[in-house]
Every structure is written in structure tokens, then in C-alpha cells.
Amino acid sequence: RWWVLVLGICLATGVEVYRLRHTPPSYFSIGRMIVSAKISLPNASAYSEELNNFLGTQAGLLQSDVVSNRTLVRLKTEKPALRTAPVALEVTVSPKTSIFNLRAVSGDPVYASAFLQTLMEEYVALKKEMLRDASDTTKSGLQQVVAQLSADLQNAKQELIKYGDTNREVYVQEQ
């Protein structure tokens, strides 16, 4: 019954040779990004993100449809001659770092490289937009608080003037 083992090996080898000959080649492009959780601002203050799930959140954002769609739109507008090909994106994080390893696999080597480069640029642009939106929201909130405090201060000044006027009259009458 040794022939069953030999037949199985020959059959498996034949199937694998067939798959290798009929599978189109795949090309990959590799990129690395360092993503910081803190951004220094001019007044020595810092903007920081939630650190509990920071790396997982950023990896999810890199693989999100938002970043992918922005990448595809930008590639179509900036490089219309580039032939579109499906791309599989893998994002991993180097251990004990905030370095993201990106790998784009596609049937077209030029498209894989262009897609990965544009994806990284769009990710950075999206992060800047998110920071700007957060800053704008904070700024408008602070402006509302300042306006309310200014109105409260004006009311308090008016009440102090009224109090002073009433107490002066009482003091003059007692004299």
C-alpha cells in the first residue's frame, strides 16, 4: 500500500504546479510610518490622544474605507494614466514602538507603490484635519465660555455699582 502515499504526493505536487502556473504574479510595496500620540504646540502645551487603544485605532484608521477612498480618488485625479488594480493592505505594528509597517500587495508593481505612498499621505492629511477640527471645536467652546464670563462680569459690575449707590445714600442719611 505504499503506492497510496506516492500517488498522494504526485497528486498534491501536480495541483501545486498547476496553481503556480495559472496564478498571476503578485507584487508588494512596503512602507513604514512613525505615528506619534502627542503633538507639541507652540505654547508648550500638548495635544494627546487616548493612549489605551492608540495603536489599534491608528491601524484601523489606516485600513479604513475613508482613507482608502480618499487614496483612490486622489490617485485617479493625480495619475489618471495609472492602471487601477486591486490592492490588499496589511498593517502591523513593530513591537514596543509606534512604528507601523505597511504592505500593499497588488498585481501591478507601479500601482502598489503609488497606492501605498498616497495612502500614507492621505492618512497624514486626515490626522491633520481631525486635529484641526478638534482645535476648532475647542476654540469655539472656549469663546462661548469667555463670552458668558464677560457677560457675568458686566452684570456683577452693574450690581456692585448699584450696591455702592444704595449704601452711599444710607451712609449719607445716617450722617
Side-chain angles (χ1 to χ4, degrees), residues 121-136:
E121 292 169 1
E122 283 300 317
Y123 168 78
V124 170
L126 180 64
K127 290 289 288 177
K128 285 181 181 178
E129 287 174 16
M130 291 170 68
L131 176 61
R132 186 179 60 240
D133 290 346
S135 298
D136 290 345

Side-chain angles (χ1 to χ4, degrees), residues 43-174:
N43 297 343
S45 58
Y47 165 83
S48 65
E49 296 194 22
E50 181 65 36
L51 294 176
N52 292 338
N53 299 319
F54 175 73
L55 298 176
T57 302
Q58 299 312 305
L61 186 60
L62 277 164
Q63 293 175 318
S64 71
D65 289 339
V66 174
V67 177
S68 294
N69 291 339
R70 288 173 62 146
T71 301
L72 293 173
V73 168
R74 185 167 160 203
L75 278 174
K76 285 180 183 177
T77 57
E78 289 182 0
K79 300 176 182 180
L82 194 61
R83 193 185 83 206
T84 305
V87 177
L89 181 67
E90 298 173 19
V91 179
T92 58
V93 181
S94 296
K96 298 182 182 180
T97 67
S98 61
I99 298 174
F100 288 88
N101 302 308
L102 300 126
R103 183 176 179 201
V105 180
S106 178
D108 184 6
V110 176
Y111 190 78
S113 176
F115 181 86
L116 188 60
Q117 181 63 38
T118 307
L119 180 101
M120 290 190 292
E121 292 169 1
E122 283 300 317
Y123 168 78
V124 170
L126 180 64
K127 290 289 288 177
K128 285 181 181 178
E129 287 174 16
M130 291 170 68
L131 176 61
R132 186 179 60 240
D133 290 346
S135 298
D136 290 345
T137 303
T138 303
K139 181 181 175 183
S140 66
L142 288 174
Q143 287 174 339
Q144 289 175 352
V145 169
V146 167
Q148 181 63 39
L149 289 175
S150 176
D152 291 348
L153 180 63
Q154 291 300 326
N155 290 339
K157 283 182 180 179
Q158 293 298 328
E159 289 179 16
L160 183 62
I161 291 171
K162 286 180 186 176
Y163 177 78
D165 289 344
T166 3
N167 284 335
R168 218 175 304 146
E169 288 176 13
V170 170
Y171 178 73
V172 170
Q173 287 176 356
E174 285 180 3

